[in-house]
Amino acid sequence: MKGFKELLKSSKNVLQGIAAAPGMVIGKAYVISKETIHVSHDSIDDPEEGIKNLNDAISKSKKELNKVFGFAKEKMGTTRAAIFEAQLMILDDPILIGHIKKRIREEKKLPEFIVDDEISKYQRLMIDSHEHYMRERATDIEDIKNRIIKNLQQKRWESKISKDVIVVSDNLTPADTILFTKSNVKAYLTDHGGLTSHAAIIARALNVPAIVGLHTASQVIKSGDTLIVNGFHGYVFVNPSQKQIEYFENKISHLTEINSKLNEIIDKPSETLDNKHIQLLSNVDVTGEIDMVIANRAEGIGLFRTEQVIEELGEFPDENEQTRIYTNLANRIYPDSVTIRVFDIGGDKVKQLQLKEQNPFLGLRGIRFLLENQSLFKTQIRAILKASIHKNILIMIPMVSTIQEINQSKEIIESCKLELMKENIPFDKEIKIGIMIEVPSAAVMTREYASIVDFISVGTNDLIQYLMAVDRGNDIVAPLYQEFHPAVLRTLSHIFKEAKSVGTKVSLCGEMASDTLAVPVLIGLGLDSFSISPSTIPYIKKIIRSITYKKAKALAEECLTMSSEEEIVKLIEKFFKVNSIQRTRNIL
Ligand code: PEP
Ligand code: MG
């Protein structure tokens, strides 16, 4: 059978959109045609009756939305369900509602007309906004407006659809997206909307495949058509051939096999037996990994290694190319955040851009390289800032060893912000800046450095290499590369305590965080945020869910009194045995 790309090229029955939520399904289409709401301009004799009708419609809308909100909380958690809380707040906005009532009294027009006119004003402001995010929110306002009007007109909402269908529509409101899941929707396809539309966010949160921005889907597709939806790549096959069906049935059964094993743990919270939440973020090296990040329910991206982009492309990407890459990533992970680490060039990375050095790992690497090559640094910062419009990007500086490097980096970021402001280019003005702690001098100085940044992330891959004076890539000295050396654990303990003492958030993004053996000690030392490769999330979560923070703390305290790695590893292995914790890597 041909590969996916050839299959696509040779197929004429394909529509392409934006892959908004991953997954693959075959099913029947259910097309929801857009219902236009007609608003009457008629005058009324009794404004007080109009106001009473308005009050009734608002309280009915509140009741409906409260139901949706409750269902959403149950299905996707309080944070994501906040969309509906925000809609409820609009219904409670005394200024907006007061203004509508005032106009009904003064203009003596039907409340539906005033509601439409007044709320549309807000909508237009949002649609005209330069911020993509605000334009997407205009759809949410439309939802509220139509809900009040429908209730004023005493019409019913169509929230019931046939079971097990693929919903096709020109656009979807957040409420419909959540309510349709009661009918076990298999996928969502919409003509409009972007990755940050709430329909896309809800679909991702509920693990329902979705493709948005399909332009003509709701016209081309008819109810009852057979569809193959590929939410990983954003393709829909309409009335597929037998060959196409066979190809995808194969793919789907393989996917189901993997998923069923992961599913046992995937939706369970990442918390210890005594209810301490441990944040599980993901490291991303190549942008293609993002599907795995989403499928494994990472709470965001804790490290995006941008130097890999240079390796992938084989050349240095210009500002536009970088903006495109970072924007795409930020959109895909929204509403979670992505920590973009600026280029860590040097050491053994991106050889083509380096000087010849005797000791590249101790040479012009990470921030040292960037401060020597400021135009390259500035290009990257400008691209990151331009991609930050949804306020879900953080900037991280690698290989920091002195306070001057932090201050200089902050000055450069500030100067890029000023440039963009002058150019009228929007960006997140409060973008958070953090540093990596991976050089022993920075580890010792954690308190001072952490107090002038927004967050820190511990890079144990380098920290161990520099602390133990052992090349992380050299087999001959590999036995000296000791994750559990007492000096490493004591240094980590110092970093976590010092950062906490100044209230700065700490995460750990080195490979140590993906080692199941290290999890109890790291948690016991006070770490509550791990950034790990996406495929390891289920394994790490399994360990987290099998231990108590209390016991992990006691274990870490004991480890800190020991003087060799051997003793420490024995102690940790005993901990696993005594508490009957399985270290299985075979969940997949
Ligand atoms: C680290 O040093 O631990 C780290 C995460 O950075 P990298 O592996 O990219 O050097
Ligand atoms: Mg590093």
Side-chain angles (χ1 to χ4, degrees):
M1 184 39 134
K2 287 187 241 177
F4 179 62
K5 278 202 177 131
E6 289 98 272
L7 190 79
L8 259 185
K9 265 195 222 146
S10 61
S11 308
K12 296 213 161 48
N13 56 340
V14 189
L15 299 176
Q16 190 186 347
I18 305 165
M24 236 184 263
V25 289
I26 302 178
K28 294 279 179 212
Y30 184 95
V31 184
I32 298 175
S33 46
K34 191 177 161 73
E35 194 190 343
T36 32
I37 293 187
H38 297 285
V39 174
S40 157
H41 291 219
D42 289 355
S43 300
I44 48 173
D45 299 331
D46 184 0
E48 289 317 310
E49 193 191 333
I51 285 169
K52 186 189 166 294
N53 292 342
L54 176 75
N55 285 339
D56 290 348
I58 289 176
S59 65
K60 182 141 193 280
S61 303
K62 272 190 207 168
K63 242 194 220 159
E64 289 166 354
L65 266 175
N66 262 319
K67 261 197 207 160
V68 178
F69 183 39
F71 183 58
K73 269 198 286 194
E74 192 186 297
K75 279 265 193 180
M76 39 182 212
T78 315
T79 320
R80 286 190 155 91
I83 301 166
F84 301 105
E85 201 175 20
Q87 290 197 349
L88 278 163
M89 276 160 71
I90 297 175
L91 288 174
D92 269 332
D93 181 348
I95 298 178
L96 174 71
I97 306 298
H99 201 65
I100 291 174
K101 287 182 180 168
K102 190 166 164 258
R103 282 190 58 188
I104 296 174
R105 282 198 182 100
E106 284 171 6
E107 295 171 35
K108 294 197 174 142
K109 285 255 169 47
L110 269 175
E112 61 188 60
F113 170 74
I114 309 281
V115 166
D116 184 42
D117 192 53
E118 202 53 38
I119 301 186
S120 296
K121 270 193 225 160
Y122 278 82
Q123 252 184 301
R124 273 193 296 277
L125 278 179
M126 290 175 132
I127 290 167
D128 290 344
S129 158
H130 289 297
E131 290 202 28
H132 183 69
Y133 177 82
M134 291 300 273
R135 290 203 297 272
E136 295 276 23
R137 297 292 78 80
T139 317
D140 304 349
I141 304 279
E142 168 107 13
D143 190 15
I144 282 283
K145 182 182 78 181
N146 291 347
R147 189 175 290 278
I148 307 175
I149 295 173
K150 275 200 168 189
N151 281 327
L152 277 166
Q153 297 174 341
Q154 302 191 341
K155 282 193 182 152
R156 279 181 57 80
W157 279 87
E158 189 195 355
S159 62
K160 282 219 170 57
I161 54 169
S162 315
K163 279 210 177 314
D164 303 314
V165 292
I166 295 168
V167 168
V168 185
S169 170
D170 80 320
N171 218 339
L172 276 171
T173 67
D176 285 343
T177 316
I178 186 101
L179 288 176
F180 290 159
T181 63
K182 285 190 174 176
S183 306
N184 197 26
V185 164
K186 289 179 128 182
Y188 288 111
L189 307 179
T190 64
D191 295 348
H192 304 294
L195 288 171
T196 53
S197 62
H198 277 138
I201 296 167
I202 292 170
R204 282 200 290 277
L206 299 175
N207 209 17
V208 178
I211 304 175
V212 296
L214 280 160
H215 301 296
T216 52
S218 69
Q219 291 150 40
V220 174
I221 299 169
K222 305 279 168 264
S223 283
D225 280 352
T226 300
L227 303 177
I228 297 176
V229 176
N230 182 338
F232 293 106
H233 296 105
Y235 292 108
V236 190
F237 290 80
V238 185
N239 292 324
S241 66
Q242 195 50 38
K243 257 194 176 163
Q244 289 172 331
I245 292 184
E246 273 166 29
Y247 178 88
F248 280 98
E249 273 176 349
N250 252 333
K251 286 243 163 231
I252 291 167
S253 77
H254 182 61
L255 207 68
T256 319
E257 223 173 278
I258 298 175
N259 281 346
S260 73
K261 286 180 186 143
L262 275 178
N263 272 345
E264 289 161 23
I265 195 127
I266 208 137
D267 282 320
K268 304 224 167 106
S270 166
E271 58 187 33
T272 59
L273 293 170
D274 46 358
N275 305 322
K276 184 172 165 60
H277 175 73
I278 307 291
Q279 185 181 42
L280 288 182
L281 302 168
S282 208
N283 291 351
V284 169
D285 286 1
V286 286
T287 40
E289 263 181 312
I290 189 82
D291 285 338
M292 281 292 276
V293 173
I294 294 165
N296 283 311
R297 310 280 201 282
E299 293 170 58
I301 297 172
L303 166 65
F304 176 53
R305 290 182 165 102
T306 53
E307 61 280 359
Q308 294 298 333
V309 175
I310 310 176
E311 303 271 21
E312 251 182 86
L313 297 174
E315 59 180 16
F316 185 78
D318 66 13
E319 187 176 315
N320 284 342
E321 177 71 356
Q322 285 189 58
T323 307
R324 191 189 61 74
I325 294 168
Y326 307 147
T327 302
N328 191 21
L329 195 64
N331 282 348
R332 291 288 313 271
I333 202 72
Y334 186 87
D336 291 325
S337 299
V338 48
T339 302
I340 298 185
R341 183 176 75 181
V342 293
F343 298 125
D344 184 12
I345 294 168
D348 59 350
K349 300 175 186 178
V350 203
K351 293 240 164 59
Q352 68 267 35
L353 283 176
Q354 291 174 28
L355 305 166
K356 292 272 164 295
E357 290 175 296
Q358 286 280 349
N359 269 315
F361 274 109
L362 301 181
L364 206 59
R365 187 187 158 186
I367 192 58
R368 302 171 187 178
F369 180 96
L370 293 175
L371 292 175
E372 284 294 316
N373 293 277
Q374 291 200 10
S375 71
L376 194 141
F377 189 19
K378 278 188 149 186
T379 303
Q380 184 174 32
I381 296 295
R382 282 177 57 97
I384 297 174
L385 288 171
K386 281 177 161 182
S388 69
I389 49 173
H390 303 319
K391 304 186 195 302
N392 69 332
I393 290 184
L394 300 91
I395 300 178
M396 183 154 75
I397 318 283
M399 275 292 290
V400 167
S401 45
T402 69
I403 199 154
Q404 284 83 358
E405 287 164 346
I406 306 175
N407 288 330
Q408 263 184 287
S409 303
K410 284 168 73 174
E411 275 165 28
I412 289 172
I413 295 170
E414 218 35 59
S415 76
C416 291
K417 284 184 174 179
L418 283 176
E419 276 177 25
L420 292 185
M421 276 200 265
K422 278 197 196 128
E423 293 164 37
N424 264 330
I425 297 174
F427 62 93
D428 176 9
K429 301 202 172 56
E430 279 98 43
I431 195 162
K432 296 219 166 14
I433 302 169
I435 55 166
M436 291 207 53
I437 302 279
E438 46 189 350
V439 176
S441 62
V444 173
M445 298 299 290
T446 297
R447 188 175 350 145
E448 287 76 5
Y449 293 5
S451 66
I452 57 166
V453 294
D454 298 306
F455 65 95
I456 63 168
S457 185
V458 188
T460 42
N461 303 344
D462 278 311
L463 186 59
I464 298 171
Q465 133 162 301
Y466 295 124
L467 204 55
M468 301 294 297
V470 51
D471 181 345
R472 64 194 251 193
N474 181 344
D475 287 351
I476 304 168
V477 285
L480 282 174
Y481 187 92
Q482 298 180 359
E483 256 177 19
F484 296 100
H485 190 284
V488 172
L489 296 193
R490 288 183 200 189
T491 305
L492 290 177
S493 166
H494 171 79
I495 297 171
F496 301 159
K497 280 200 181 117
E498 294 284 272
K500 276 199 180 141
S501 77
V502 291
T504 303
K505 266 183 77 73
V506 191
S507 188
L508 195 150
C509 61
E511 286 310 303
M512 188 175 182
S514 299
D515 182 348
T516 44
L517 200 63
V519 175
V521 194
L522 291 174
I523 292 177
L525 289 172
L527 184 70
D528 51 22
S529 173
F530 289 56
S531 190
I532 55 188
S533 61
S535 59
T536 55
I537 288 181
Y539 310 115
I540 300 301
K541 201 194 272 184
K542 192 156 194 243
I543 305 287
I544 293 169
R545 293 178 53 80
S546 329
I547 61 173
T548 63
Y549 171 58
K550 200 168 159 225
K551 284 188 186 165
K553 197 159 175 256
L555 169 74
E557 272 160 17
E558 205 175 342
C559 287
L560 289 176
T561 66
M562 308 208 137
S563 35
S564 75
E565 171 171 73
E566 210 186 344
E567 287 170 280
I568 291 175
V569 170
K570 263 196 195 141
L571 191 70
I572 301 173
E573 280 172 346
K574 195 171 130 208
F575 176 88
F576 273 81
K577 215 168 172 187
V578 170
N579 293 293
S580 324
I581 308 164
Q582 263 190 324
R583 275 184 69 204
T584 173
R585 278 220 154 227
N586 299 326
I587 300 175
L588 261 177

